[in-house]
Each structure stands twice: as structure tokens, then as C-alpha cells.
Amino acid sequence: PIDLDWALNAHLPQLNFILPGLLPGSLGLLVAPGGTGKSWMAMDIAVSTAIGRPACGGLFPAELPNKVVYLAGEESDRLLAERLRGLLDIADRSRLESGKLVLLPMSGQDTLLVSEGKPTALLDDLASLSKGAALVIVDPVRRLHDGEENDSASMTRLVVALESLAKQSGAAVLCLHHANRASASDSGSQNASRGSSALVDGARWQMNLSKMDEKTSATYGISETERGLYVAVDVAKAANF
């Protein structure tokens, strides 16, 4: 049980958000349809957090450099290297301290953190590797478990495993997940996530990406040719006190 004297009277350090509304030791989701650029965005967040620069072109403010671990379940080492080079110019490369950015290219490998309803050895290895990190990114959710995506019990077990990862490492855990078809008409909703709502309910933070629609592009005078270069960002859920 919680020590009530500690809870009510002890000095508690100021909460430092990893991203606006996303706390260390908590679980967050980045939800988007395929081809929207969520992996690129997550990589930019990872790199920017590691060197202490504003992320996503200033969408998220700069913080002090922090360790980041990125498990890329679908990516090869070559692809991650190309993305890294595209996101870091010569000046930024000199700011990247040893050990601040840990990239795990897992294409073609087993990335299950939960198998047959139980945590795997990989979960323990990832938690150990993530000690001292501020942020752990896992991409995508579908590769982290072998359960039924629409089954509440299966997704709850995944949530518990990811919460364990966050608790053991002290980091915020950000999971990339696909949006459902209904999100096309309600892209800013918590319900944009594919599969059981148990995943969304378990996460403390959720950000949705969606492609710019024709009405919005017309409002801002953006041509049909350029419309594909833009995405909408909606924080559908965040820590609230």
C-alpha cells in the first residue's frame, strides 16, 4: 500500500514531461494510418531527445539531452542509418553523445515482448538496456505480441508488460500503432486506434497523425499537389492533474 504520510507530506520533485503531457514511467501511443510518416516522426523525436533539440520542426520544445532506446521492429540497420543521416546535419552529429541514442534494427527477428500471454526474455533485455533512459520507443505494436488484437484480455496483458517496461526503466514508453478505418472521419479521437480499446484505455497519452483532407487544404490555400506533404497532429489523451 502507498505510504500516505509520504504521499501527503514528502517533497516530490517537479514532474518533467518527456513530451507535453507524457510523463516518465508512463505508456503512450502514436497512432496513425500506414504511410502517414509515424516512424519518421518517432525517429525525429528519438534523435531530438538524444541531442536536446526541438522535435518535429519545433512542435515539441527542446529539453536537456536524454538517453533514448528505439526498438524498430520492421526496419533494417541500413534503413535506420539512412534516416539517421537525414535527420542529423554535421553540426547536430557532433552533439550526439555516446550512449544517448540506442537504435535496435529488428527486421526479420522475433520482437515479441509478450508471447502466449506471458512476458518474454526480450522484455527483460529491453528493460535492462533501457535503464537510465528517458524514452523508449517500440514500433509497431503488432510485432510486440502474438495475441488477438481485438481481444481485450490479450491487449491488457500487453499493456501490463509495457507498463512493467516503463516502471523498470523509469522511461516513458511510446508505442507506434496503426489507426482503424473509422479514424478517417474522426482522426482526433482516442478511438482512432486499431483493435481492442484496452490498449487505448491503458495508455496515459495518445497522439494521432492523419493526412490533410481536401477541406483543410482549401482553407489554407494548399494545392492538391502539396496536400500530401502535410499531416494533422492531435493529442487525443494526456496526463491530467
Side-chain angles (χ1 to χ4, degrees), residues 145 147-157 195-199:
H145 67 103
E148 170 54 51
E149 198 169 63
N150 292 309
D151 180 63
S152 176
S154 293
M155 298 310 291
T156 297
R157 285 190 287 268
S196 169
S197 62
L199 179 61

Side-chain angles (χ1 to χ4, degrees), residues 48-81:
S48 299
T49 302
I51 65 174
R53 76 178 182 191
C56 306
L59 180 63
F60 302 119
E63 302 290 346
L64 293 175
N66 278 298
K67 178 180 175 181
V68 180
V69 177
Y70 192 147
L71 188 152
E74 299 176 330
E75 316 298 2
S76 65
D77 52 0
R78 175 59 189 269
L79 182 57
L80 286 183

Side-chain angles (χ1 to χ4, degrees), residues 3-235:
D3 182 336
L4 294 181
D5 182 60
W6 167 84
L8 293 171
N9 301 309
H11 171 71
L12 299 177
Q14 181 179 350
L15 293 172
N16 293 316
F17 291 90
I18 305 305
L19 296 171
L22 178 62
L23 287 167
S26 64
L27 173 62
L29 294 174
L30 174 54
V31 176
T36 312
K38 59 181 176 296
S39 292
W40 266 105
M41 186 177 196
M43 185 70 164
D44 184 72
I45 290 171
V47 169
S48 299
T49 302
I51 65 174
R53 76 178 182 191
C56 306
L59 180 63
F60 302 119
E63 302 290 346
L64 293 175
N66 278 298
K67 178 180 175 181
V68 180
V69 177
Y70 192 147
L71 188 152
E74 299 176 330
E75 316 298 2
S76 65
D77 52 0
R78 175 59 189 269
L79 182 57
L80 286 183
E82 293 287 353
R83 287 183 177 175
L84 190 60
R85 294 182 186 194
L87 289 168
L88 284 172
D89 60 25
I90 298 300
D92 281 339
R93 292 178 194 183
S94 66
R95 298 166 58 190
L96 184 57
E97 301 175 20
S98 176
K100 288 290 188 184
L101 182 62
V102 180
L103 300 177
L104 304 172
M106 301 292 287
S107 176
Q109 300 182 61
D110 185 351
T111 58
L112 293 177
L113 302 183
V114 176
S115 180
E116 297 181 354
K118 298 179 181 180
T120 65
L122 180 60
L123 178 66
D124 293 333
D125 291 342
L126 184 58
S128 178
L129 184 62
S130 302
K131 290 288 187 184
L135 179 63
V136 177
I137 299 174
V138 285
D139 175 19
V141 165
R142 179 62 265 184
R143 294 219 178 188
L144 305 180
H145 67 103
D146 56 7
E148 170 54 51
E149 198 169 63
N150 292 309
D151 180 63
S152 176
S154 293
M155 298 310 291
T156 297
R157 285 190 287 268
L158 176 63
V159 166
V160 171
L162 294 169
E163 289 173 340
S164 172
L165 173 60
K167 185 174 182 179
Q168 290 182 65
S169 65
V173 175
L174 179 61
C175 301
L176 275 60
H177 191 41
H178 288 285
N180 57 36
R181 293 179 181 178
S183 68
S185 59
D186 191 12
S187 59
S189 169
Q190 293 182 34
N191 299 318
S193 173
R194 193 177 70 187
S196 169
S197 62
L199 179 61
V200 172
D201 293 341
R204 299 296 90 197
W205 186 89
Q206 181 179 331
M207 182 168 67
N208 300 343
L209 299 185
S210 57
K211 296 179 180 180
M212 180 179 284
D213 57 36
E214 294 181 6
K215 181 179 179 180
T216 304
S217 64
T219 299
Y220 289 96
I222 296 170
S223 69
E224 184 63 23
T225 304
E226 294 180 316
R227 182 162 68 92
L229 301 175
Y230 293 84
V231 294
V233 178
D234 293 284
V235 177

